[in-house]
Amino acid sequence: MKNINKKLQILLLLPLIAVQIKCGTSKNAVANSGKAESWITTTDETSKLKKQNDLVFSIETNSNQTILVDASQKFQTIEGFGFSLTGGSAQAILKLDKAKREALLQELFSIKENAIGLSYLRISIGASDLNETVFSYDDMPEGQTDLKLEHFNLGPDLKDVVPVLKEILAINPNIKIMGSPWSPPVWMKDNGSSKGGSLQPKYYAVYADYFVKYIQAMKSHGIVIDAITPQNEPLHPGNNPSLLMLAEQQAEFIKNNLGPAFVKAKIKTKIVVYDHNCNKPEYPLTILNDPKALPFVAGSAFHLYEGDISALSKVHDAYPKKDLYFTEQYTGSGSSFESDLKWSVKNVVIGSMRNWSVNALSWGLANDEFYKPFTPGGCSTCKGALMIDQNQNIKREVGYYIIGHASKFVPEGSVRIGSNISNNLYNVAFRTPLGQIVLIVENDGSTPETFNIKYNQKQISTTLNAGSVATYVW
């Protein structure tokens, strides 16, 4: 009887074991085989996130340079990798017929074998400069105000961003979403224009309620906003739309209005400050140094159009309990696949992770073949990760591979672990929630590099061409 029960238990467990193996959830399956899988993208584009032959761990030694991966060193927990789903991105995706769109969204957001598993999106609160037109959620005729926000509505987003987000959430209901405004409604500003100007202090309380209404409105559509920033690029008032918001102004707004409004409305959405370049770490530090603003702040966000990625570590060292976010970096129509691949993987992916960021996002997810849409005065050279033309042809641009080398292999909940930089081999390592080790390497030199990857006293030896990027998994 005991033997029959034991056989029955085994039979019942077999389907579960099969599902685990199929889904890639067999913890350390690759490591137990003594092999590492690898995917490579080369600068000549002959290999784009292409799976290579497995590499075999051994105890043999050699004189090669070595990247030592040390899982005993643990750093930040990762929230995700992804892009901004701009209004223009959503419009480009909605051009596709239903079957094509579903296949693309599965490729982008699922964890299937041929997908890249995007796990984090940034969206604009109102229009960004990659929308067809400028709008807020409470536009009024010139000279009129709406202090009670009676005219608040999600406007054009209901036609593109919201429907696409619903389709994405059906594939990955756990995706993280961050919202960032480019400008408040113009009637709140001191110049009455979508471009530049500052938020008038007399409207701080109304603008805080505007954020509350936005989060509640999105939730009514089943869309949970995990985090917001009070202003995209607050020191760049020359974009359209845009707003100048100095650090002291942002601190006042958060401590006196936005933070208390979130508490009153029982909103759990994180408030993340700054959201601009690495050349001004003093901006987030000014807000974090304010004892009344500090409790409301979850972290600080950065871009890298100016400055050095090490600025994130400067803020982390001052406030190690506050998270760091890397929220935007574009790839441009005037630069090459090679230069963008090398620079962005080195700085945006590897650099942000090695400097404590919990996410890494590139800019627009998609656009058309003319880099449209964009607002009058908006970015006309911003290249999406996808180019979707009028005939529904989809071209995967360099941004797709920059982020894909991380998003496909490093899910939410992964932890960055120790690894050393060896000469030109920039790298970062992670342990996933299922126990796999992931190592992303970029050869920043001008010649091929032969090297070892050492883990738990065993190593593999491999060669990576100049400028190439590889992700190793075991």
Side-chain angles (χ1 to χ4, degrees), residues 85 88-96 101 104-105 164 365-366 388:
L85 181 71
S89 297
Q91 284 185 352
I93 290 167
L94 285 171
K95 285 179 189 173
L96 299 169
R101 185 169 72 248
L104 176 63
L105 294 178
V164 173
L365 178 59
I388 303 173

Side-chain angles (χ1 to χ4, degrees), residues 35-47:
K35 295 178 181 179
E37 298 175 335
S38 64
W39 286 257
I40 289 180
T41 300
T42 56
T43 55
D44 63 5
E45 303 184 56
T46 56
S47 178

Side-chain angles (χ1 to χ4, degrees), residues 302-324:
F302 289 85
H303 307 174
L304 191 54
Y305 302 110
E306 293 183 81
D308 189 87
I309 195 67
S310 61
L312 277 68
S313 283
K314 183 176 181 180
V315 177
H316 171 267
D317 291 348
Y319 290 92
K321 293 183 179 180
K322 299 296 183 179
D323 286 329
L324 280 301

Side-chain angles (χ1 to χ4, degrees), residues 361-397:
L361 310 180
S362 282
W363 184 208
L365 178 59
N367 50 238
D368 70 14
E369 63 267 49
F370 306 108
Y371 306 106
K372 291 181 177 179
F374 49 84
T375 61
C379 181
S380 61
T381 60
C382 289
K383 181 164 59 179
L386 305 169
M387 188 274 283
I388 303 173
D389 69 18
Q390 301 303 315
N391 297 317
Q392 300 194 29
N393 296 309
I394 303 168
K395 181 183 179 186
R396 289 149 188 81
E397 301 281 9

